[in-house]
Amino acid sequence: MSSESVIVTPGRRLGLTQEYESGPGTYVRNGMIYSSILGTKKIEQALAETSDDSIKRPMLFVERQNTKFAIPVIGSEILGRVVRINPRAASVAIMMVDSAPCQEDFQGIVRVQDIRATEKDLVQMINSFRPGDIIRAEVISLGDQRSYFLATTKNEHGVVFAQSEAGNSMIPISWEEMQDPKTQTIEKRKCAKPVT
Amino acid sequence: MVVEIEPSNIEREFLLEALEKGIRVDGRGIYDYRTLKITCSPTYGLVEVQLGQTRVLARVTCEVTRPFPDRPTEGLVQFNADLSNLAAPGLDSSSGKPSVQEVAVSRMIERVIRQSRAIDTEALCILAGEKVWSVRLDLHFLDHSGNLIDAASIASIAALRHFRRPDVTIDGEEAIIHDVNERNPVPLSIHHTPICVTFGFFGSNGDLMLVDPNLLEEQVQVSSFTITLNSHREICALSKAGGVPLAPSLIQRCTQIALTKVDDINDKIQEALMA
Amino acid sequence: MAETKVVLPGDIIDTSLDSDEEESSVLRLGPGVAQIDEQVSAVAAGVLHSDNEKKQWWVVSNKRRYVPAEGEPVVGVVVARHGEGYRVDIGSAQGALLPLLAFEGATKRNKPNLAVGTVVYARVAVANSVMDPEIECYNSHTGKSEGYGELAGGFMFKCSLGLARRLIDSKAPVLNALGSGIPFEVAVGLNGRVWINTEAPATTVLIANAIKNSEFLDAKQCRQMVKELLEKQ
Amino acid sequence: MSRQELISPEGLRVDGRRANELRRISCRASVLNSADGSAYYEQGNTKVLVAVYGPREPRNRSLAQQDHATINVEFNIAPFSTSERRKRSKGDKRLLEISSFVKQTFEGAIQTAIYPRSQIDIYIHLLQHDGGTLETCINAATLALVDAGISMMDYVCACTAGFIDETPILDLNFVEESSIEVPNLTVAIMPRNGNIALLQMESKLHSSKLEDVMELAVEGCKHIHRKLDQAVLVAAKDLADKLSN
Amino acid sequence: MDVDMESQDTRDIASRIVTPGSVITNDTAFMRGHGTFAERTTIYSSVAGAVERINKLVSVRPLKQRYSGEIGDIIVGRITEVASKRWRVDVNSRQDGILLLSSINLPGGIQRRKSESDELQMRTFFAEGDLVFAEVQSYFADGALSLHTRSLQYGKLRNGTFVTVFPQLVPRSRSHFHTLPCGVDIVLGVNGYIWVSKHVPASKVEENSELIYSDKNEFISDDERETIARIANCIHLLNRLYVKITDTSIIFAYEASLTHAVKDLLTREIAIDLAHNVKTRLEQQS
Amino acid sequence: MSANIFDRRRVNGPPRSVEPLYTDEGDVKPFTNGGRADGRSLDQLRPIFIKTGPLAVQPTFSPTAPSGSAYYEQGKIRISCAVYGPRQGRKSNPRMGSFDCDFQYAPFSCSWKRRPHIKGADEKEIALILEQAMAPAIRLEAYPKACIDAFVTVIESDGKFATISAAINCISAALADAGIELYDIVAACSMSLNASQWVSDCNQAEEDVSQCSLFVSRMPSADEITYLLQQGKTMPDQTDRAVQTCSNSCARVYAVLSRYLQASMEQPAS
Amino acid sequence: MASLILSPAEQDFIIRGVEKGFRGDGRGSLDRREVTLRTGMISQANGSARCRIGSLGVGTDILVGVKAEVNTWAAGEPEECGTIVCNVECSPSAAQEFEGRGADEINVELTQLLDRIVGGEQSGLDLRKLCIIPRQAYWVLHIDALVLDVKGGVADALVWATRAALLATKLPRVVVESVTDDSGVARAEFDVVDDAEDQMGLEGARDLPLAATFNQIGRRYVVDASEQEEAVTQAKLTVAVSPKMEICAIQKGGMLKGFAPSLLSEITQTALRIAKEEFARFDALFAEASKHNGELDEEPSTGSTFLEPF
C-alpha cells in the first residue's frame, strides 16, 4: 500500500492499533491512533527482513516539513557553547539538539568525570574546555533541577570549534591539542574526532 | 550578589582583647568620636558630613504643594534615605525592597526629625488648605565605615538649619513667591536640634561600652543603642533593637555620656554654619 | 634609577635603549605594559619602572582591587567550607579555592580543619582568566610550608595594594624602623592585607597605625614618624 | 488632641483606666494546627495572631547560616484591623521596621546556636489595631515560640509607657499613642534578670523623666510575664497529664 | 516568680513542669542536658516542659517540638530533592535528612557496588515525593541526619496511607514496625510520620528484590481499605487528643472504634470518648 | 507617612486632574423586540477569521522569533497570540513539562470601565483560566523539564466572555502552528442569558444587559469539556441547556479552525 | 497545597480508593468534613466570621472581615446601588511558599472566585439598598478574607466564611434629609448614626449562596477534597448554589484534565441535591455561633486540647 499524504490536525483519528504502529506525531487513546501535531499523515511499511518471526505492522506517523524546535532527551546528541568552567564541571548552553535548533538555549553541564572515557582522574577541566568553545556532546541524564548532564566520552564528541587566547580559531592537531595557525601557540582541548 | 565579608576571627578576638584593656583598634579613646568634619556648600541646604571614613551627604529642597485635607495648615516634610552599594559592597539596593539597614536608618531619622517635631510644620503653611511648603530631605550615603545613624542625624540637622526657602508674601487669596535674588530667602523655623549618639556594646553580656563604633566594631558588637537628645536635654528618641539584652543601669549611664557628646556636636554644627 | 615617570593608559613607551644591538634583544614587559601592534604602550596608570640590563618594563600602580597572579603571597579569610576545599576571600573578584590537602604534610587521614573566619597566609597557585583562583598553604614543589598556613592571634588590617608591595620589600623603611624599636611578627599579603602580632595590644595598634600612616611618606619621614610614635608610648 | 482630654481631672484615662493600669490581657496557645507553635493574644482591643514554624529546612538554602538558625519574621496588618480600612503593601517601611524589630529582639532571646543551618519563621497577623502594635507582637510571638518548644534564654515581654501631665502612664492605647505630645516608649525585657532586650521611644521626653517612665514600663512587662507564664504553665501541665501513662 | 521559689530545693527536681527562664537547680553537682542552659552555677530551663533526670544529668522534655533525631531512630521520611549521589529527605526535623546513594540496597539483592549508571538513574530508586522507611545512621558535620535503608524491611513504602502526628507521642521502642491483628502493617516513625498499609509478608520482598523500589500497589480489597482507613483515623484522633501512640494504644483504639462507622471516628464527641476509653485501658494495663 | 507615599520612580502628577470626556456612541439597544442589534440569529456566531504565523520572521528559524503564532478575529474581537517553546522552564519537572500563559488587554482594547481595585487582576485571572483551559489538550509528558509559553494580546475586545473564548481558539491555532504535540484542538464559545433566552457569542453591549454569561471550551475528539465558567444566576436546567448549545457551537468553531489549519499546510504561508 | 507531592503509591491508593467509594478518612464521596464556625471576633469590623473545615481541628481555616465604608459617587459608577469589593490574602502560615509575593497568584484566583460568587447581584444581596443617595453617596462593602491554613477545599471554606460574615454584618443606620441651601436649591444630605444599638443587617443576606467544589479523581468525583486528594485531582468544579436552588456561579479549575459533558451535568445535579443539607448545616452552625459572639473566655485557655475552636 502506497503512503498517501493527507494533511491532518491534532486530534484527528488516523487508524487502529491493531493495524498500525503509532509513530512520531501521533498518540494512542483506547486502541485508536490520533494525530498529535499539524502535518501530513505518512505510513511507513515495515521492512520485511527486519521483522523476524513476529509480523510487524506498518508505522503511522505525522510529519511536519519545517521541523520546529527540539528539546534534549537522554541519548540525543547536542551542540553547545561552553559558558563557564570550574575544576569540577563546565556549564554549557545547548543550542542544537540533533539537527534541530532549540528555541532558547538549554542549560547543560559536563562533569569532569564525563569528559573522557579513560583516565578520568587525570582529566583537568582547564585542559579540556575553555569558555567560548563549541562542543558536541551526548545527553546522559536529565540531571538536576537546572541542567542536563552531558558527556563527551565518545571520540566524535568534544570541542569542535575553539579560539586561541589571541582570538584566532584553532585547528585540532591531536585528540587533546589544538593549534592557533597564526601564532602557532598550542592549547589543550578535548577535541572531537571530525565526523565524515 | 555581593555579600558582606564577616570580619575574621583574629580581628574579633584582637578587638575584644584590646577593648578589655581599654584600647580601640583605631587608637581612639573609649568615649571619643572619630574626627567630625561638616562642610556646608554655597548652595543652601547641601551639607556633607564626614565622620572618620563615613561620609553622608544631606540635601534639603522644597516645593509648593497642596496640604493633606486633614492637616490643612501644616506643611509636609519628606525623607528619603538612599543607601546603595555605592557606600559599601554588601549593601545591595538592586533588589526591590529596601535593605534592613536602609529601613532602620531612614525610619530612625524620620522619627528623630518628625516625631520629635524638630521642624515647625505650621510655619510652612502658605495658604491654609491650599498651598504649603513641602520640604524634602535626601540623604546620600557616600561611604559606609560604621555608625551611619549619627552621621546621618548630624547631616540632616545641619542641612535643615543651613537651608533657606524662598520668601513669600500673601495678599488676600494670592501668594507671591519671591525669587531668591529678589528677596533674601528665609531659614526654616526649627524648634530644636536632635542629635543621635550611638553606643556599641561588647562582651558576652554587653558590659564593655564604647561610643561611635566604626565598621569593624559594628560588625563585632553584641548590641547597640542609639539615644537622641537635643540641646534642651530632652530625649527625642531611643532605639535599642536586638543584640544581647542590656542592664537598665547602662541605659542611664549612656544618657549621661550622650548629654555631653550632644553639646559639643551642636557646637561643631554651629561653627560649621557660621563658616 | 631615573626620576619617576608617570604614565597613563595609552601612553607610548619609548623602549629604545641607549645600548645599540636592539633588534636582537627581546623586551620583557611586566604588569601594566603591553605590546599593541608594533608599539609598546602602558595599559595602566602608574609609575613606569624599567631595568635596562634585563630590558624590562613595568608599571607600578596603586590599585584597590586585587588581581591574583601566580606565586604571590596573600592573606585571606576562610568564608566557607565545601567538599573539595575551603572558599577563601582574598579580596579578588572571585573567592579563591584552598584545597583541603594544600597544607604541609596534609593527608586524607589528617588534614588541618579550619573554622570559617580563620585567617590564612597562602600563595596563589592557580590564577587564570577562566577559573576561580586557587591558593595553597605550602610550596607544592618542596611540600614545605615555608611560613604559609593559618595565622593565629595578632591582628589583620587592610591597606592599599601599592603599600603592600612596598612593605614586602625586605628594606621597607617603616618595618625596619619599627623593628629596630619593638619586636613584632608581620605577614604581608600582596592583596593589601597585613597581619601583625606583638605581645601587647597597645603596640599592635601602634604598629598598625604606623604602617597605615607610612602610605605617603618617604623613608626619612617614616623613621621620623615611627620615632615620635615610639616616644609617645 | 490636647492633654486635658487624655487624662480626666479624676486621673482617669480615655478608656477609664488609671495611669498605671494595663489593659485586659487574654491569650491562648496552639490556635493553629499546622504551625509548630502558634498563639492568639489580646491586649485591650489590640489582637494579634502568631504562627511559628521551625526550626526547619531553610526555604532558600543559600541563606542558611553555618553556625546558627536564621530567624525570619513576616508581619502583616489585616485590612480590616484599623478603624478605616487600609490595605498596606508588603514593601511598607513601617511593616518592615516592626518585623525587623521583632526579628532582632528574638535573635537575642532564642538559642539559635543549637539549631544550625535551619530557619525559624515567625508569621504575625495584626487582626485588630488599638495601639501598642510592637508590644503585642512581641508578647504574642514569645508565647508562640514557647508553644513551638523552641529553646529560649527567657521570655521576652514588652510593654509601652508614656508621660502625660507630669505622670507616667502605662500601656498606651491608640488615642494616646497617636497624640504627638505623648512620648511613646516601648520596652521589652527578659524578666529573669530584668535586662532590656528592646527599647524604642518617640517624641520628646525630658532626660530626667526617663527613669520613672522606664520603671513603669518594666513593671508592666513583669506583670505581662506573669500572665504569659501562667498561660504556659497551665498548657504544659495539661499536656503533661495527657502524656503521663 | 512562684515557680522559681518552689524550684529552689533540688530534692524533687524530676517530673516538675518548668517554663523558659525558670531555675531548675543551683546545685552544681548536676549536669545540664537538652532544654536547659547554665548561667554561672545555676541551671535554667530553656523550654516549657517536664524536668527529667538521669542520675546527675538534668534535661527538660518539651511537650511539643519538632523531631530531633538520635542515632538508631527508625523514621519515615519523604524525598524532597534528588541531588548528586544523595537524596534530601524531609524528616520533620530542623533540617532535611540525607540518604546517600551508597547507603541504600541496590536492586540485584546482594550488596552490589554502585556504578556510574546508578548515579544517573537515581530517580528509579527514589524520586521526589516518595516515602522512605529508614534508620538514622549518623550525624553529618553540620548536624544533618544521615539515613540508611540497608535492610530488607526498610525502603520504599507502598500499599497504604500516610499520617503525621506529634513526634513526642511516638516513644522510642524496640520495634517500630508492627503487623496488627486486623491485618494491617504500621510503621511508627519516631519523627511523627506514620505509615499505615495492607499487610504484605516480608518473604514476598525477599523473593523478589526488584519490589524494593516498585511504585505499584498490591491489590487492596474493600475490607482492607476500610481497616486501613479505620486505623488511620484512630491514629489521627489519638494524636489530636494527645495520647501516646504505640501498637497497643492503636489496637485499643481500633477495638473500641469498631462500634462506630469509620467516618464518624473523627467527630469530636466520639473521638474524645474513644481517647478516654484508650487511656483508661492503658492505665489498667500498667 | 509621606516617606512611604513618596514614589521613587515616577514624577508624581498634579494633585488634581480632570477625567477625559468619552464620546459615547449613542447607546444601541442590544435586543430590540427579540432580534439582535447586528441582525444575527440568537445562536449565530460572529464571522471568524484566522491566520497563523503572522509573527514568524523569514527564514522561519530565529532564536527570538516565536515557534508559533496566530491572529484571530471574531466580529470586532481582535486577538494575537505568540507561542514560545519548548524551552528551558523556570520550574523544571522531570516528569512533565509546564504550560504558562500571559494575557493582556492592549490599553485601548476594552470599552468597559475597569473596576479600579482589581486593576490587572482580571488579566491575571484570565491568564490562569486560559492555562487551565488549554493545558488538558497539550501532551506535556512529551516535554519533560521544558516549558511552553503562550503570550496573548487583545487588540480589541467585544464582550468579556466572548473575548476569553476567542483567546482560547487563538491559542489553539498558535499551538498547532508551533507544532506542539496536542491531544486535540480546543474550541471555545460563549453565551449570555437574556430574558430567559440564551444568546450565543454576545458582544459587549449584549453581555452588559444579560443577567448571566458563561463560556465552554471543548476538545471534540475526546468529547471533553476543558473549561466551564458561569457568572450570574440561572436555573439549573438553563445551565445544562447552555452547556449543550455551547458544545454544539464549539463543534462549529472547531470545524472552522481545522479547515483553516489544513489549508495553511497545503500552501505554506508565503 | 501545590507544594505537596505524593508518591506514586499514595496517589494510586487514593485514586483507587475514591473509585471504590472509600476515601482516606472513610468518608463517602459526598461527605463534608467537620465544619466549625465563629462570628463577631473582630469588633472593629461591621461583620466578621471564622470558618474551619476539617476534622478534630485540622483543616482549612479562614477569617473574614467585612467593613462598610461610605463612598462619594463618581461619574461612571453605578448610579443607584452600592458595591462589594472582595480581597483574599493567603497567609504564609498556610504554606511557606506564600511568603513575600509568593501568594499573589492564588490570591488573585481566590479573590476573583469570591468576587464572582458574592461580588454582584447574583449574590442575592440587594445592592440597591446599599445606595444612600443616588449619584451622590453609597456604601462599599469590603470583604477581606485571610486564609490562615490550607488543608483542601479553600474555595468552599471561603464562601462559607463569607456568608457567615455577611449574615453577621450590621450597617449603621443612615438618616437622609433634604436641605435647601441659601441659593434655594434642595440637596439631599445624610449622616451616619453612630449608635451600636441602632444598626440593621444586610438586605437579602439570607439568599447568599454556598459553594461546593467537586474534585475529579480517577473516574469519580468527591466533595470537600482533603489536601492529599487535591494533590491527585485532575480537574475540579466549584458550583455556588443559592437557597432558592439557583446556580450563582460555576468555575472549573485544575490543569490536568477536562470533564466529560455527562459528568458535568451529573455534578450540577448533585450540587443542587446536596445544597439542601448544606444550607441546613450552615444555618445550625451559624445560629450556634451567633449565640456566644466569639468572645474569649477570661481564663487564658491553652494548647492542651486542640479541639478548642479557636
Side-chain angles (χ1 to χ4, degrees), chain E residues 52-87:
Chain E
E52 284 180 342
R53 154 171 183 201
I54 304 140
N55 35 44
K56 280 291 164 209
L57 178 75
V58 283
S59 56
V60 178
R61 183 166 38 77
L63 296 145
K64 201 155 147 290
Q65 194 182 37
R66 276 179 108 78
Y67 167 68
S68 58
E70 291 178 15
I71 293 175
D73 283 355
I74 310 295
I75 60 160
V76 173
R78 194 185 287 278
I79 306 288
T80 58
E81 184 185 327
V82 181
S84 70
K85 298 204 201 66
R86 63 182 52 203
W87 291 271

Side-chain angles (χ1 to χ4, degrees), chain A residues 27 36 64 103-104 107 145, chain F residues 85 87-88 92 177 182-183:
Chain A
Y27 69 98
S36 68
R64 189 73 184 265
Q103 162 105 57
E104 271 171 26
Q107 284 180 44
Q145 293 304 323
Chain F
R87 58 180 179 182
Q88 181 125 30
S92 80
D177 177 53
L182 305 171
Y183 287 111

Side-chain angles (χ1 to χ4, degrees), chain B residues 5 8-11 14 17-18 21 23-27 216, chain C residues 89 116-119 151 153-156 195 201-202 204-205:
Chain B
I5 308 295
S8 69
N9 301 352
I10 63 169
E11 284 169 290
F14 179 78
E17 182 191 351
K21 299 189 167 61
I23 303 164
R24 289 174 74 169
V25 283
D26 50 11
L216 179 59
Chain C
D89 165 55
V116 169
T118 309
V119 176
L151 295 173
F155 180 58
M156 179 188 78
W195 171 87
T204 311
V205 170

Side-chain angles (χ1 to χ4, degrees), chain D residues 6 18 55 80 83 97-98 122 135 143 193 202 238 244:
Chain D
L6 284 179
R18 309 219 169 303
F80 46 75
S83 46
E97 189 187 39
I98 296 249
I122 305 177
E135 75 178 307
L143 194 53
N193 49 19
E202 291 184 357
D238 181 77
S244 62

Side-chain angles (χ1 to χ4, degrees), chain E residues 175-195:
Chain E
S175 151
H176 289 263
F177 176 86
H178 305 279
T179 301
L180 302 181
C182 52
V184 167
D185 291 351
I186 53 171
V187 179
L188 300 173
V190 287
N191 60 334
Y193 287 0
I194 294 182
W195 183 251

Side-chain angles (χ1 to χ4, degrees), chain G residues 290-306:
Chain G
S290 8
K291 275 210 213 82
H292 44 77
N293 220 341
E295 276 312 313
L296 268 178
D297 35 9
E298 196 49 59
E299 184 46 38
S301 157
T302 66
S304 54
T305 143
F306 304 90

Side-chain angles (χ1 to χ4, degrees), chain B residues 66 68 77-82 102 110 114 136, chain F residues 1-9 12 15-16:
Chain B
R66 149 181 313 276
F68 289 116
V77 186
Q78 296 190 334
F79 297 87
N80 176 35
D82 212 347
E102 184 169 343
E110 194 179 340
R114 182 183 287 110
R136 171 149 185 234
Chain F
M1 175 56 183
S2 43
N4 51 32
I5 65 167
F6 175 74
D7 183 335
R8 288 172 179 231
R9 296 163 229 45
N12 297 345
R16 184 188 290 150

Side-chain angles (χ1 to χ4, degrees), chain A residues 1 7 9 23 27 31 35-36 40 43 62 81 106 108 110 123 130 142 150 159 169 178 189:
Chain A
M1 131 184 167
I7 291 178
T9 56
Y27 69 98
S35 156
S36 68
T40 30
I43 292 169
V62 178
R81 191 198 316 99
F106 287 89
V110 184
V123 181
R130 294 288 179 101
L142 291 188
L150 311 173
V159 176
S169 55
M178 290 182 110
R189 292 287 196 280

